[in-house]
Amino acid sequence: MGACSSQQRRPAQVQKPGQNSGPQAVAEEFKVGPEIFVTLKQGSISNFYKMDKNLGSGAFGEVRLVIHKSTGCKRAMKQIRKDKIIKDDEDNMFSEVNTLKELDHPNIVKLHELFQDAKNYYLITEYEFLEGGELFQKITDMKHFTEKMAADIMKQILGGVVHCHEKKIVHRDLKPENILFENRKPNSNLKIIDFGTSKKVESNQNLTKRLGTPYYIAPEVLKRNYNEKCDVWSCGVILYIMLCGYPPFGGQDQEILQNIEIGKYEFDPEDWAKISDDAKNLIKRMLTKDYNQRISAQEAFNDPWIQKNAPNAPIDFKAIKNLSSFFGKNKVRAALMQFISTNLMTNAEKEGLLAEFKKIDKDGNGQISKDELVQVYLKQYDEIKAKQMVDDIFDKVDTNKSGYVDFTEFITSAANEEKLLNKQRLQQAFNMFDTNGDGQISRDELQEIMGRNR
């Protein structure tokens, strides 16, 4: 469409109206990360965005295409009417926002902004990914569909799920409607969307709320005693349907749930004769009824069927060279570059860098470890030199000091700096910072857009 577009830190939280951050937050160390730009902004959203076509509607409001007035960037706006939500729903909405702020993965939708006025909340997310359509719509539009294509799609989905689970986040409603593609190319990048039912959990914590969609809901969710592996079950159902065209647990309404509780399914020889045993074995491991025996998302990602069909192109060292020359000591400069790469770079511009990121990120969790990057440098240097170079890169690129190169950090540092910080981009960023349009960026405007409380 061409629109603009492990040690872990505790992410900045979006404050509810009336919450006071207190003096401790002011003294908190400033950390660079894409989440610092997502704050609850007051006032009329029409001052910043032009309303366009309706993309859908739900119980609490509608979803619209909107266009940022000063940059022309296209976004999706999820409107939530305050008079339609109860206290628990409001808490869930802020939970969704804070969840999306924490996630930084090429296969998970990116949250850009959050607004409120007297009547509504507005969640602003990236829009470009909608052009490719929903998962099954895209498969239907293809002239032919192979196991290799199915494996590539499932690898992307599982990569996003692995990232969520490493962050202790359970999606709880994975289904084809919540998996959208950036464009109509056969090898298009996909995005997992709609984290409205997601939940942050503690280690070894089981969940009890019955949420999900018939066909894709796991049997343990129906029994109200489950963990993150309910997402693996949903992925198994999606893979089953991708390969044969119908769900493993059919029926009408309540009958579907009864069949899921039983957990018995089959591979009809008429429909599965041409499907490999490796694919069937992965589905069996994902659709194991006892979730304690079911494989994890990481184990599914590492499965031979996924890895055997995974693309195996060589690394392009142009991006790696940019990594090694990136200078991230100046935090304000690093924050500006992350703002531009997150808010103003198009998906087409990111496409090549995204491919390189995925080649290096062997476990698919959306973060590059030192070991993964060392393996790249060992192709050109001895072990001592490779480790020295990687240590130097992490010192400059790991701006949030998470111990990994996160996706946004990679895109920011591996991009061509001259193109990233060209005159047009800097002007667009300036316009977005200059919220009152007076041609100057005040301290208050800078604090607001970078998430600092006044």
Side-chain angles (χ1 to χ4, degrees):
M1 187 175 302
C4 290
S5 141
S6 87
Q7 174 190 353
Q8 295 179 355
R9 68 193 184 281
R10 183 177 179 83
Q13 300 290 299
V14 171
Q15 292 184 324
K16 300 178 187 179
Q19 264 188 328
N20 191 350
S21 58
Q24 183 178 356
V26 177
E28 191 178 286
E29 182 188 355
F30 173 60
K31 292 187 177 181
V32 176
E35 74 278 1
I36 67 173
F37 301 110
V38 185
T39 58
L40 181 58
K41 300 177 176 67
Q42 310 288 334
S44 176
I45 192 171
S46 62
N47 291 336
F48 304 94
Y49 287 94
K50 175 184 175 183
M51 302 295 119
D52 204 296
K53 63 182 178 181
N54 189 298
L55 300 174
S57 59
F60 302 127
E62 62 182 11
V63 180
R64 298 190 69 89
L65 168 64
V66 295
I67 301 173
H68 195 276
K69 288 184 174 181
S70 65
T71 66
C73 294
K74 294 181 179 179
R75 303 279 187 251
M77 179 194 77
K78 183 177 181 181
Q79 175 186 330
I80 302 173
R81 291 176 53 183
K82 290 182 177 179
D83 62 357
K84 291 288 187 180
I85 60 175
I86 58 176
K87 184 70 169 66
D88 285 347
D89 290 326
E90 184 182 56
D91 290 341
N92 288 339
M93 185 206 72
F94 280 102
S95 176
E96 177 182 6
V97 170
N98 287 318
T99 294
L100 283 173
K101 283 181 63 171
E102 185 173 352
L103 298 174
D104 185 18
H105 191 279
N107 298 122
I108 295 175
V109 64
K110 178 65 68 178
L111 177 70
H112 287 296
E113 294 186 274
L114 175 65
F115 286 87
Q116 76 158 335
D117 56 27
K119 295 183 178 180
N120 301 294
Y121 291 111
Y122 306 91
L123 277 67
I124 308 296
T125 65
E126 59 182 321
Y127 170 73
E128 283 181 283
F129 61 86
L130 290 174
E131 188 183 41
E134 295 176 2
L135 174 59
F136 288 165
Q137 174 192 333
K138 183 175 179 65
I139 293 174
T140 302
D141 291 343
M142 291 180 178
K143 292 182 179 178
H144 69 284
F145 188 68
T146 65
E147 277 194 41
K148 190 172 184 65
M149 293 176 179
D152 182 58
I153 289 172
M154 187 51 58
K155 183 181 180 183
Q156 293 190 66
I157 297 170
L158 287 169
V161 175
V162 167
H163 184 72
C164 289
H165 290 181
E166 287 198 355
K167 298 286 187 178
K168 307 298 183 187
I169 292 166
V170 189
H171 188 284
R172 299 201 288 188
D173 195 21
L174 289 170
K175 56 185 178 181
E177 296 91 330
N178 287 339
I179 299 167
L180 306 180
F181 288 82
E182 289 180 359
N183 55 56
R184 299 190 181 277
K185 297 178 183 178
N187 60 345
S188 171
N189 192 56
L190 64 78
K191 302 278 186 177
I192 298 172
I193 68 166
D194 198 349
F195 283 76
T197 59
S198 65
K199 178 73 173 178
K200 185 79 178 272
V201 295
E202 302 299 327
S203 297
N204 301 319
Q205 176 188 356
N206 271 21
L207 300 170
T208 59
K209 202 165 187 178
R210 183 168 162 169
L211 295 168
T213 302
Y215 289 126
Y216 307 98
I217 193 170
E220 65 269 21
V221 177
L222 299 176
K223 294 182 179 181
R224 301 176 185 270
N225 182 27
Y226 59 98
N227 61 17
E228 77 282 352
K229 286 187 180 179
C230 66
D231 289 340
V232 178
W233 175 279
S234 301
C235 289
V237 174
I238 292 169
L239 178 56
Y240 185 102
I241 299 173
M242 274 201 289
L243 293 175
C244 75
Y246 54 83
F249 309 102
Q252 298 292 325
D253 301 326
Q254 192 62 32
E255 186 183 359
I256 299 171
L257 302 182
Q258 291 172 351
N259 290 333
I260 290 172
E261 282 188 301
I262 296 170
K264 187 177 180 180
Y265 62 95
E266 61 182 28
F267 299 110
D268 189 322
E270 187 175 337
D271 300 314
W272 289 85
K274 295 182 180 180
I275 303 299
S276 70
D277 288 340
D278 282 346
K280 295 173 191 173
N281 288 336
L282 174 57
I283 290 172
K284 289 176 184 177
R285 298 172 74 203
M286 297 171 80
L287 294 184
T288 299
K289 183 180 176 183
D290 180 357
Y291 68 89
N292 291 309
Q293 302 300 317
R294 188 181 309 151
I295 60 173
S296 67
Q298 186 68 72
E299 289 170 326
F301 183 92
N302 294 337
D303 185 85
W305 181 75
I306 295 285
Q307 295 305 318
K308 181 178 67 177
N309 288 285
N312 193 27
I315 301 288
D316 182 351
F317 275 86
K318 288 181 182 177
I320 303 304
K321 185 178 179 181
N322 288 342
L323 270 184
S324 61
S325 61
F326 178 76
F327 183 72
K329 292 293 187 182
N330 185 314
K331 289 187 175 182
V332 175
R333 180 177 181 275
L336 173 63
M337 292 178 71
Q338 286 197 6
F339 180 84
I340 290 175
S341 67
T342 301
N343 290 277
L344 299 175
M345 280 185 77
T346 67
N347 283 336
E349 290 174 306
K350 294 178 183 178
E351 192 170 4
L353 297 174
L354 169 60
E356 299 309 313
F357 180 87
K358 289 187 174 184
K359 292 175 195 174
I360 303 170
D361 179 25
K362 295 297 185 182
D363 59 8
N365 67 351
Q367 298 172 312
I368 295 175
S369 67
K370 283 190 174 183
D371 287 343
E372 287 172 328
L373 196 54
V374 165
Q375 293 306 310
V376 174
Y377 276 91
L378 284 174
K379 299 181 190 309
Q380 291 195 337
Y381 305 98
D382 62 48
E383 185 174 358
I384 294 176
K385 178 68 172 176
K387 288 184 176 180
Q388 285 176 341
M389 295 184 73
V390 169
D391 284 341
D392 183 55
I393 286 171
F394 267 69
D395 186 50
K396 292 183 287 189
V397 174
D398 181 19
T399 54
N400 60 21
K401 302 306 174 188
S402 66
Y404 297 90
V405 174
D406 301 320
F407 178 58
T408 297
E409 289 172 339
F410 180 87
I411 294 295
T412 302
S413 54
N416 183 297
E417 185 174 336
E418 199 171 308
K419 292 181 179 178
L420 186 66
L421 298 179
N422 63 31
K423 185 176 180 180
Q424 180 184 1
R425 287 267 168 71
L426 290 173
Q427 184 64 58
Q428 288 178 318
F430 181 91
N431 292 344
M432 294 181 79
F433 277 62
D434 179 22
T435 54
N436 64 8
D438 66 354
Q440 298 178 338
I441 299 175
S442 67
R443 175 181 290 185
D444 284 351
E445 288 171 327
L446 189 61
Q447 286 177 327
E448 179 171 346
I449 202 160
M450 299 188 76
R452 309 304 291 166
N453 299 293
R454 295 195 286 271

